[in-house]
Amino acid sequence: HHRIVVTDLDGKALAIAGSGQPGNKDGSFEKAQFDDPQGMAVTGNIVYVADRKNNTIRRLDLKARTVTTVAGTGRQAPILKNLGGPALERPLNSPWDLWLDGDRLLIAMSGSHQIWELNLKKKTVVPIAGTGQENLQDGHVANAVFAQPSGLTSDGMNLYVADCEVSAIRRLPLDGTGMVETLVGRGLFEFGDRDGPGQVADVDERATKEAKLQHAVGVAYHNGMVYVADTYNSKIKTIELRTGEVKTFLGGPPEKGAEPLFNEPTGLSIAGDKLYVADTNAHRIRVIDLKTKEVTTLALKGVEPVVVKEEKPKEEKK
């Protein structure tokens, strides 16, 4: 519906930004327009939004109830020719998720297969990791290769990236320097649904023991674990950072006659001991109690539905 719906943790609506119709317009919450907004980052009363199809980063002021554009021109940037510069003068390419680190807003730039940084003080944007090519290659941030990065999280030292087209979870230093490494995943056509060690050195054992994901879109860090929205497997999985072990936490094929717990989950967010899941293909927010594994659906209260106006068919000229 091209909106940002703000609720409390029990689902009570506090604000709605966006008219409900796709577009690219700043202004009041009621008049502003987005086009397929994806990831967000929150600090106090400010929410930053990756406005994917507008190729912009938007800033919501929850007190003033206004929306402004802080990066991007509204045009899609070309792949492999995308350089940094003043934030409002440089085109972006399908920003998908955000992570806030002080005055730095890190961007999973899915369309250009890179990680970018928006400096909120200097009002500049610049790529910090990835060549712009599409594949899986570890190494120094300047030489590493990603494939449609779509989810970001951090433990305060490292940035973890859901690199969906290679069904991988990647890690790099939060400051954007140093090396990129892969925790799980092997390449563009290496995917599946298997628990186990994230990386196996022995080639023979790799085929039978190494963990596999399928198009994992979201990640969230909590207490030494990276929780993964293993999207095309309709599961939530965990990576224990101490051991590298990948395990199914919840989800997968249900028992006969039962409803599946998830249907292609994407975004993840943790508050307290609750994991909030954007259960995309079921059009709902699921809430997981991390201690008991109880799963409930967030009941939205006070969120008016969007009414899509149907155009009348044009009369044929006689």
Side-chain angles (χ1 to χ4, degrees):
H1 288 145
H2 314 287
R3 302 187 298 178
I4 306 301
V5 177
V6 183
T7 78
D8 64 17
L9 295 180
D10 294 320
K12 181 183 177 182
L14 304 176
I16 296 176
S19 68
Q21 304 301 320
N24 188 4
K25 183 186 294 184
D26 288 344
S28 67
F29 276 9
E30 294 77 18
K31 294 181 179 180
Q33 289 182 310
F34 303 87
D35 197 347
D36 198 24
Q38 294 287 333
M40 294 175 285
V42 183
T43 175
N45 288 308
I46 302 301
V47 182
Y48 294 98
V49 178
D51 196 7
R52 187 178 75 87
K53 285 188 179 178
N54 281 326
N55 300 293
T56 57
I57 306 300
R58 316 290 290 278
R59 180 185 186 272
L60 278 64
D61 187 319
L62 298 181
K63 272 192 170 181
R65 296 190 174 231
T66 55
V67 178
T68 54
T69 300
V70 294
T73 64
R75 293 179 289 108
Q76 186 174 16
I79 299 175
L80 300 179
K81 293 182 180 179
N82 202 0
L83 303 176
L88 290 172
E89 296 178 15
R90 292 294 183 269
L92 308 181
N93 195 329
S94 198
W96 207 284
D97 199 16
L98 306 172
W99 185 263
L100 191 61
D101 177 39
D103 292 320
R104 304 166 64 232
L105 187 66
L106 302 178
I107 307 167
M109 202 71 74
S110 180
S112 62
H113 317 296
Q114 294 172 310
I115 308 301
W116 280 54
E117 175 187 303
L118 166 60
N119 188 306
L120 296 170
K121 276 192 171 180
K122 297 179 180 179
K123 300 181 180 180
T124 56
V125 286
V126 63
I128 62 169
T131 64
Q133 297 171 312
E134 183 181 22
N135 212 318
L136 189 155
Q137 178 178 301
D138 288 345
H140 189 270
V141 290
N143 302 317
V145 181
F146 297 86
Q148 294 185 27
S150 58
L152 300 177
T153 192
S154 177
D155 59 5
M157 297 180 295
N158 297 296
L159 186 71
Y160 298 90
V161 182
D163 208 12
C164 66
E165 275 298 291
V166 283
S167 299
I169 306 300
R170 319 287 294 280
R171 175 168 63 190
L172 64 149
L174 185 59
D175 64 6
T177 64
M179 308 296 283
V180 176
E181 58 183 324
T182 300
L183 302 184
V184 56
R186 286 288 174 180
L188 283 167
F189 305 107
E190 296 285 336
F191 56 86
D193 183 7
R194 185 166 63 216
D195 293 353
Q199 292 284 312
V200 175
D202 187 277
V203 175
D204 294 329
E205 288 188 349
R206 200 179 287 173
T208 57
K209 292 185 178 181
E210 189 169 276
K212 288 186 177 182
L213 310 170
Q214 187 173 3
H215 200 83
V217 172
V219 281
Y221 172 82
H222 185 67
N223 287 347
M225 296 276 199
V226 174
Y227 289 81
V228 179
D230 192 5
T231 304
Y232 284 2
N233 288 324
S234 292
K235 289 183 175 183
I236 305 299
K237 292 186 179 179
T238 59
I239 303 174
E240 186 177 356
L241 294 175
R242 183 177 58 85
T243 64
E245 193 76 11
V246 180
K247 293 182 180 179
T248 296
F249 186 69
L250 281 170
E255 295 181 8
K256 189 175 181 180
E259 181 188 358
L261 283 177
F262 311 104
N263 189 346
E264 296 191 6
T266 54
L268 300 179
S269 186
I270 292 176
D273 290 316
K274 301 286 180 67
L275 176 64
Y276 291 79
V277 181
D279 196 16
T280 298
N281 270 11
H283 309 285
R284 62 189 177 185
I285 306 298
R286 298 288 259 171
V287 186
I288 303 173
D289 188 311
L290 294 177
K291 292 181 177 179
T292 66
K293 291 191 175 182
E294 179 188 12
V295 182
T296 57
T297 297
L298 187 69
L300 295 178
K301 298 175 280 289
V303 180
E304 295 297 323
V306 171
V307 178
V308 179
K309 296 179 181 178
E310 294 186 8
E311 291 186 8
K312 293 181 180 180
K314 293 181 179 179
E315 293 184 5
E316 292 185 8
K317 293 182 178 179
K318 293 181 180 179

